[in-house]
Amino acid sequence: MTSAIHAGEPLVPPPLPAIAPQIATQYPNDADGDHVADDLAQRCQQALAKKTAAVLVASTNISAPASDAAIDVELIFSRPITQSQIDTFLQLGGSITYIYKAVSYGWNGRLPLAQVNRLPALLGDSLVLVEESKPVVLHMDHATRTGRVRPVWSPGFVGSALGFSGNTNITVAIVDSGMDASHTDLAGRRVYWQDFSTDAVPNPVDYSQHGTHVGAVAVGTGAASGSATGPLLGTLYGSLSGIFSNNFVVTPMLLPTNTINFTATVRWNGGGNGTLELLSHNQGTKAGWTVEGAGVSGASPLSLSVSVTGNPAREYSPALVSNGSMTDYVITYQVPQYPGGDNFNRLSGVAPRCNWAAAKVFATNGSSLLSWTAAAVDDLVANRVADNIKVMNLSLGTTGSPGISTTTRQKVNTAVNNGIVVTVSAGNNGLLSPASAREISDPGRAAMVLTVAAANDVNQLTDYSSQGFGSPTNTVGQEEDYKPDLMAPGGSSYYSDILAADSNSGDGTAFPDQQPNDYWSIQGTSVAAPFAAGCAALVVDALQQSGVTWDFSSAQFPLLVKMLLCATATESNTNRESLANNPTVQRAANGTNGFPSGKDQFEGYGMINPDAAVEAVSQKLVFGSTNNFSLGATTTDARAWACQVSLTANVNFSASLTVPGTGDFDLYLYSAIPGLFGKPVILAASTQAGNGVNESLSYQSSTNATAYLVVKRVSGAGAFSLVGNVPPQLAVVPASFDYGLLATGGSEPATFVVSNAGAGILTGTIGLQTAGGFSILSGTPFSLGAFGATNVTIQFSPQSRGSYSNAVVVASNGGSASSVLTGRAADLPMLSVAVGQSPLAFSFATTVGCTYVIQSKTQLTDPVWQTVQTQAGDGTTHVFAAPPSGVPQTFYRVCVQ
């Protein structure tokens, strides 16, 4: 399904959306409340003034006034649009490029600047804002190991036969520069394509590579690279415009530790001779690049072959040394014997079994407008049910310092309200000044999205990651939140970039594709965000495998996924790469500048751990059992462990964590109900500092509830043991028992069940409230293990006629309980007759003041007599006519009370 306006399509109001979009009554960029963005209104007035002056001068040298030029605008209404409003806009000389169906009321279009200020009066009071569309900027093998993804793929992980790698009923939508559907890693799984840029390309394409790389990080299969050790084909491209002579651009990567023959070929525009070299430097620094072997010099193209033995402590990069006149360049390279080893494809994305949808919002020349992104988000939301779009990624941001777009923020929040997990890159402005320039821009400021900073190969916050801000707005419909939410692998100049699929559409716009189905390395929060999107898809997969049916009509499940990823994230407990604006260790304490528990404005809740998030969904705690697991200090080791806990109302839950002497681990209990905007809610925590310091917590819920128990590594490594318990808890059923009517001198047993609803040993005794009529035959005293049960037999033995009542009283170390006992007794039978199939009457004498009960049964071996009729004695002889019976004989008796 497509939604951009095509020639000949009618311009009519769309159907009402299922979920009302977030619309404000007034916006921050409309301070005077005239419903036109202040900067746009001022431009309109200035242009009109210049036009008037031009008319007065009547100069033939003055070109068409700016007021006659059409500009890109978005119109936002407080309620559904009407045909009259559409027609009026067109009559003013406007054109409509997109009508919103899901995340807004209104449209995108173009309109002469001079007409803008007329819109509020002509379109009525439902028009709340006219704003000009702003420009937008685009902000895996090792990454899937440091990001703790590959363990989740393994068959048998937390009991799943196939593991968790996504599903074709989960579609991840990529809003970016396009996507190449021909690459082997992405082929065959596209369910949606739409180009919202001015290119209007009908079929999937991606000349800038960014969207293809982003999509492959999220859902690429890695099939082109395979799983076994073998060649790696890669491409690097860029521009040396403005780069001084003898300088270069690097794209760091790891090389195999055995000796290989590294080969590369470079082509460039701009003429002159150049030099192609293989460089290396020590990890953890940006400087110190040295040449491996000898480079080659000459005119374009150049080919290089170098024998090199990879050092795991160094990074490598082919580089073209600038001659001062070079512009665009492209380098293709081959790494033989690139390692495999775990039977998964070496360069697989995070959720390789998912389908994908692509919305192209960047033109081939690299330009983009927010209105294109807004239209893409809207159309994807409109198609979410048909195409199973459950995750959406936007690796882009509004221009500015920071870039603010309240209307875009509203649209992505509305997407979450429509059942979509939305991941957004935090931005790459971490090295800018002043502090406001380092802040996260929209749509990453939106409260309900998952905003993602970038980590390097050693799980350290990158120097380029943008940072959060204090005092987020809580204006209804415009909500921001404390950002970022967490960090994920994004590549780094200090270590290595992220490898993922390279588009077959071309190598940038300057060169045709040099080698098909190869890979490209880049870094940025643009890469970290789709990594988190893939992780979100894995959690969606786990929820669905647990029995969840996805809800596309609320934010219930998107916020649950966000909360699970944030609750299981772990703080890096180290400085940022640049050693400035460093994360702080919060543990369970509130962050600075108003940030919530466990979160700061640089890395959010910390490093993403999809393995622990999936465990929280799929692994249930068994009370009283010991859980043993290891958390490690290497970059690819587990950093967190989680499970699900069932809490019983008014029953105390406790957990104890035995921490190894070589590690500092913390223990948390989180509510399964997300807080505001998906915030993790800590029910209890134990966060004592120090190696080998054990942790314990307890919590009592007022209702039956689900919670998540999470162990987090702070530092060090080692094996822990965890035991979760609820105390012995007595339960007795039934709560009451009526023995009915028995003959005087008879007896009737009944069985009660005494059980332990807790994990400790339950011991106790059973007694009767009063003496007479009832006796305990078995079951006391008792001793029950975790969740054990035993039967107790209580017998009713009335010795005289009348009504009886008593109670079973159970006392234990897990509480006390009682069950009410009742019964009635009558004298021995006055008369007992057998009546065959023919009707029969019998008589019996009565006494005034007595009650006579007539009972029957069809077999003498039946344990219970059934009451047929009750008669009051009056001193006369009564006659009872037995009804016909369908059995050979019926036995009757008459008892007196």
Side-chain angles (χ1 to χ4, degrees), residues 341-375:
D342 63 358
N343 297 320
F344 297 116
N345 287 338
R346 295 174 296 174
L347 298 179
S348 175
V350 178
R353 291 186 181 176
C354 289
N355 285 336
W356 56 268
K360 182 173 174 287
V361 297
F362 283 80
T364 300
N365 64 9
S367 65
S368 182
L369 294 175
L370 267 180
S371 56
W372 302 351
T373 295

Side-chain angles (χ1 to χ4, degrees), residues 780-806:
T780 187
F782 59 85
S783 178
L784 301 175
F787 307 102
T790 187
N791 291 336
V792 177
T793 303
I794 308 295
Q795 183 165 277
F796 178 36
S797 304
Q799 299 304 309
S800 59
R801 68 186 185 211
S803 297
Y804 290 76
S805 65
N806 208 326

Side-chain angles (χ1 to χ4, degrees), residues 105 116 134 183 291 307 388 442 642 675 756 859:
Y105 299 130
V116 168
K134 294 182 179 181
H183 196 289
V291 179
S307 177
N388 274 316
D442 279 312
N756 180 8
Q859 298 287 337

Side-chain angles (χ1 to χ4, degrees), residues 728-733 753-757 762 784 788-790 810 812 814-817:
Q729 185 70 23
L730 175 68
V732 180
V733 291
V753 179
V754 174
S755 61
N756 180 8
L762 180 72
L784 301 175
T790 187
V810 185
S812 76
S816 60

Side-chain angles (χ1 to χ4, degrees), residues 303-318:
S303 293
L304 172 72
S305 178
V306 178
S307 177
V308 59
T309 302
N311 182 338
R314 293 180 70 82
E315 301 289 338
Y316 298 81
S317 176

Side-chain angles (χ1 to χ4, degrees), residues 645-733:
V645 182
S646 295
L647 302 177
T648 302
N650 303 316
V651 175
N652 188 68
F653 166 74
S654 63
S656 58
L657 177 70
T658 302
V659 178
T662 52
D664 183 0
F665 301 166
D666 286 345
L667 182 61
Y668 296 82
L669 185 70
Y670 290 98
S671 171
I673 300 175
L676 185 65
F677 309 135
K679 180 180 72 174
V681 177
I682 298 175
L683 301 176
S686 181
T687 59
Q688 300 181 87
N691 286 351
V693 179
N694 295 333
E695 309 286 0
S696 62
L697 59 77
S698 63
Y699 178 75
Q700 186 173 116
S701 175
S702 60
T703 61
N704 292 339
T706 298
Y708 300 112
L709 191 63
V710 183
V711 180
K712 298 186 182 184
R713 172 190 174 272
V714 179
S715 63
F720 69 79
S721 61
L722 173 73
V723 178
N725 272 312
V726 292
Q729 185 70 23
L730 175 68
V732 180
V733 291

Side-chain angles (χ1 to χ4, degrees), residues 40-51:
L40 180 56
Q42 184 177 19
R43 282 188 57 210
C44 180
Q45 291 169 356
Q46 292 171 344
L48 285 171
K50 289 180 180 179
K51 182 176 183 180

Side-chain angles (χ1 to χ4, degrees), residues 90-182:
L90 298 175
Q91 290 164 8
L92 291 173
S95 61
I96 294 177
T97 56
Y98 187 85
I99 295 177
Y100 289 94
K101 306 180 297 298
V103 299
S104 188
Y105 299 130
W107 60 80
N108 298 336
R110 293 178 61 80
L111 185 72
L113 182 58
Q115 302 289 4
V116 168
N117 283 348
R118 299 181 62 193
L119 291 175
L122 294 174
L123 297 183
D125 62 0
S126 66
L127 177 66
V128 291
L129 186 67
V130 181
E131 67 176 356
E132 188 173 9
S133 188
K134 294 182 179 181
V136 181
V137 291
L138 291 167
H139 278 29
M140 293 274 301
D141 58 332
H142 195 60
T144 53
R145 298 177 195 276
T146 60
R148 292 297 299 168
V149 167
R150 299 179 89 85
V152 182
W153 298 337
S154 299
F157 184 77
V158 289
S160 173
L162 297 176
F164 302 89
S165 55
N167 191 290
T168 53
N169 65 20
I170 303 168
T171 297
V172 178
I174 305 297
V175 181
D176 212 285
S177 64
M179 222 159 147
D180 171 28
S182 72

